[in-house]
Amino acid sequence: GAVVSQHPSRVICKSGTSVKIECRSLDFQATTMFWYRQFPKQSLMLMATSNEGSKATYEQGVEKDKFLINHASLTLSTLTVTSAHPEDSSFYICSATQGEGYTFGSGTRLTVV
Amino acid sequence: DQQVKQNSPSLSVQEGRISILNCDYTNSMFDYFLWYKKYPAEGPTFLISISSIKDKNEDGRFTVFLNKSAKHLSLHIVPSQPGDSAVYFCAASVDFGNEKLTFGTGTRLTIIP
């Protein structure tokens, strides 16, 4: 079946630095990728939707300058958390689709200290 | 505005019995519904889905029921097994595979041996 690889699985960074999270579809071309964030004991909240070669569409309340999304190819999307702060500590999950279903990555636990 | 709600944050069920997880939605544009199982620090695992043209879909121990008039769906797991203990999320989309998923708030299911 379809597989989405997400790296790193966990990362600890210092406040003020930037962190890049990669999401790759391994055996299919993802027309659309979604980025979600989950705080402890809460739901998965969509941050943005990205289509290959075009700018990402951000959900209301998500800072596009802080959470940079690049979808350079049909198999790779990256999320960069810029100038990270402790409140950005969360679980980030990507999802990819080729129009026939949704495949999720394994998630990235980001801790900002 | 929580468009997809799971009103029971937790549920405990005896092993071998039926587990029933409920989900309500408000957006009448949703036409595809999915259930996911999730462990902490992992991505969601797809369980079963249903389109709005159906009222029931079954896959092994999992059955999803959809009541469009009530904007309600439920997931039945029978018989429940200890390995079913996890957090379960329902999710909805207005266009399967092409549009974002809106997740419910989750229900933590505990199967008691």
Side-chain angles (χ1 to χ4, degrees):
Chain A
V3 177
V4 171
S5 174
Q6 185 174 343
H7 292 281
S9 58
R10 56 178 62 192
V11 58
I12 301 173
C13 71
K14 290 186 176 180
S15 186
T17 62
S18 295
V19 173
K20 180 184 285 187
I21 302 170
E22 286 192 354
C23 180
R24 292 181 185 269
S25 56
L26 297 186
D27 49 3
F28 67 99
Q29 293 187 324
T31 51
T32 305
M33 286 191 175
F34 305 93
W35 287 94
Y36 294 84
R37 178 169 54 183
Q38 185 188 24
F39 291 106
K41 298 185 179 181
Q42 294 189 24
S43 184
L44 284 75
M45 300 302 294
L46 181 70
M47 299 175 67
T49 302
S50 74
N51 294 293
E52 184 264 342
S54 62
K55 289 185 178 180
T57 302
Y58 289 81
E59 295 297 299
Q60 192 173 9
V62 178
E63 300 174 58
K64 60 182 68 176
D65 293 331
K66 180 170 185 59
F67 298 99
L68 301 179
I69 292 173
N70 183 285
H71 195 160
S73 76
L74 284 171
T75 59
L76 174 65
S77 177
T78 61
L79 166 66
T80 302
V81 183
T82 63
S83 187
H85 290 286
E87 57 264 31
D88 298 324
S89 297
S90 186
F91 190 63
Y92 294 85
I93 310 172
C94 69
S95 172
T97 178
Q98 53 180 342
E100 298 178 346
Y102 305 89
T103 304
F104 283 83
S106 54
T108 298
R109 168 75 63 195
L110 170 63
T111 303
V112 184
V113 298
Chain B
D1 176 29
Q2 189 69 38
Q3 297 187 55
V4 180
K5 293 181 182 179
Q6 295 172 253
N7 291 319
S8 298
S10 63
L11 176 68
S12 294
V13 175
Q14 205 76 34
E15 181 180 359
R17 298 287 188 99
I18 183 171
S19 295
I20 300 176
L21 296 97
N22 294 303
C23 179
D24 298 293
Y25 62 96
T26 57
N27 189 345
S28 58
M29 298 299 291
F30 288 142
D31 69 353
Y32 212 89
F33 304 88
L34 306 89
W35 282 95
Y36 288 89
K37 177 181 181 181
K38 188 179 182 301
Y39 296 109
E42 292 186 14
T45 301
F46 172 74
L47 289 174
I48 193 169
S49 62
I50 189 168
S51 75
S52 59
I53 63 173
K54 293 186 172 183
D55 56 15
K56 177 183 176 181
N57 189 27
E58 190 172 355
D59 184 1
R61 295 188 299 116
F62 303 95
T63 303
V64 56
F65 295 91
L66 175 63
N67 183 331
K68 281 191 65 179
S69 60
K71 294 191 177 67
H72 176 84
L73 64 154
S74 61
L75 173 68
H76 292 208
I77 306 173
V78 56
S80 300
Q81 300 173 353
D84 296 330
S85 295
V87 178
Y88 289 77
F89 289 95
C90 64
S93 172
V94 299
D95 182 9
F96 176 66
N98 294 307
E99 292 294 329
K100 66 182 181 183
L101 287 175
T102 300
F103 282 86
T105 45
T107 296
R108 179 175 299 279
L109 175 64
T110 302
I111 305 302
I112 304 166

